[in-house]
Amino acid sequence: MTQINDDLFLEFVDVIAKRATCDRGRSGCVIVKDRRILTTGFVGVLAGFPSCDEVGHLLEKVQHADGTITEHCHRTIHAESAAILQAARCGVSLEGSTLYCTMTPCLRCAMQIVQAGIVRVVSKKKYKQSEMSENVFSMSNVEFEVKHNEIITYE
């Protein structure tokens, strides 16, 4: 039954991702407890702000611990953060819930997931910078599963 539910909620992730307002990261997130959707999130700008699709990206180069340099858009917030913030705004507890997402959450989102009391994360695919996030989940006893071992990269 868990496999069927996981597949269904990952389909919802794809639908929610269509609302993303940054063409570099069309990601979605659905947080569920007892097979009920508590909240959703997508990569997007703050309410009332112009989107990347409207005014372009706010790119910044980031150097990672392994020395690689990537560009990240700082105009938006990640789908996982958006879902957690929406729950906070509406007074919805995420304690004991499962988070479904497009790709392995980044380190900052992973820390928010742990702090929000989410106990399980199911990711459709891996993100190239996922090792630290996976370590945070492991150290915090958050169950983490990737459905497809494909790595998502941005162009």
Side-chain angles (χ1 to χ4, degrees), residues 115-133:
Q115 198 67 12
I118 296 167
V119 297
R120 183 170 180 249
V121 175
V122 180
S123 176
K124 236 182 140 165
K125 297 179 181 175
K126 289 193 102 164
Y127 180 61
K128 62 185 174 187
Q129 300 287 337
S130 65
E131 187 177 324
M132 289 192 292
S133 298

Side-chain angles (χ1 to χ4, degrees), residues 118-154:
I118 296 167
V119 297
R120 183 170 180 249
V121 175
V122 180
S123 176
K124 236 182 140 165
K125 297 179 181 175
K126 289 193 102 164
Y127 180 61
K128 62 185 174 187
Q129 300 287 337
S130 65
E131 187 177 324
M132 289 192 292
S133 298
E134 291 179 37
N135 288 339
V136 165
F137 292 145
S138 177
M139 290 171 42
S140 304
N141 294 318
V142 171
E143 182 184 339
F144 177 67
E145 181 178 349
V146 176
K147 290 294 183 176
H148 307 283
N149 215 17
E150 179 183 337
I151 297 175
I152 292 179
T153 58
Y154 294 111

Side-chain angles (χ1 to χ4, degrees), residues 7-21:
D7 292 343
L8 175 66
F9 290 123
L10 287 171
E11 286 181 39
F12 282 119
V13 166
D14 289 340
V15 171
I16 297 301
K18 291 178 181 181
R19 294 202 56 209
T21 60

Side-chain angles (χ1 to χ4, degrees), residues 1-12 35 100:
M1 186 69 152
T2 299
Q3 176 66 36
I4 293 169
N5 288 330
D6 287 351
D7 292 343
L8 175 66
F9 290 123
L10 287 171
E11 286 181 39
F12 282 119
R35 296 181 302 186
Y100 295 90

Side-chain angles (χ1 to χ4, degrees), residues 1-125:
M1 186 69 152
T2 299
Q3 176 66 36
I4 293 169
N5 288 330
D6 287 351
D7 292 343
L8 175 66
F9 290 123
L10 287 171
E11 286 181 39
F12 282 119
V13 166
D14 289 340
V15 171
I16 297 301
K18 291 178 181 181
R19 294 202 56 209
T21 60
C22 180
D23 63 4
R24 292 187 81 243
R26 299 233 184 256
S27 295
C29 176
V30 176
I31 303 178
V32 175
K33 186 171 182 181
D34 299 328
R35 296 181 302 186
R36 295 187 187 277
I37 294 174
L38 301 176
T39 186
T40 63
F42 54 88
V43 172
V45 297
L46 299 174
F49 281 62
S51 72
C52 296
D53 295 347
E54 296 168 332
V55 296
H57 300 289
L58 184 60
L59 295 176
E60 183 175 297
K61 291 185 183 202
V62 176
Q63 183 169 355
H64 301 278
D66 66 1
T68 59
I69 297 174
T70 57
E71 283 189 321
H72 291 264
C73 182
H74 290 283
R75 189 175 304 285
T76 60
I77 59 173
H78 294 176
E80 300 86 355
S81 288
I84 291 168
L85 292 168
Q86 185 64 26
R89 188 173 191 165
C90 296
V92 175
S93 172
L94 301 178
E95 191 74 36
S97 63
T98 297
L99 182 144
Y100 295 90
C101 53
T102 303
M103 67 185 93
T104 309
C106 72
L107 179 59
R108 288 181 195 266
C109 288
M111 292 188 294
Q112 292 174 23
I113 288 165
V114 169
Q115 198 67 12
I118 296 167
V119 297
R120 183 170 180 249
V121 175
V122 180
S123 176
K124 236 182 140 165
K125 297 179 181 175

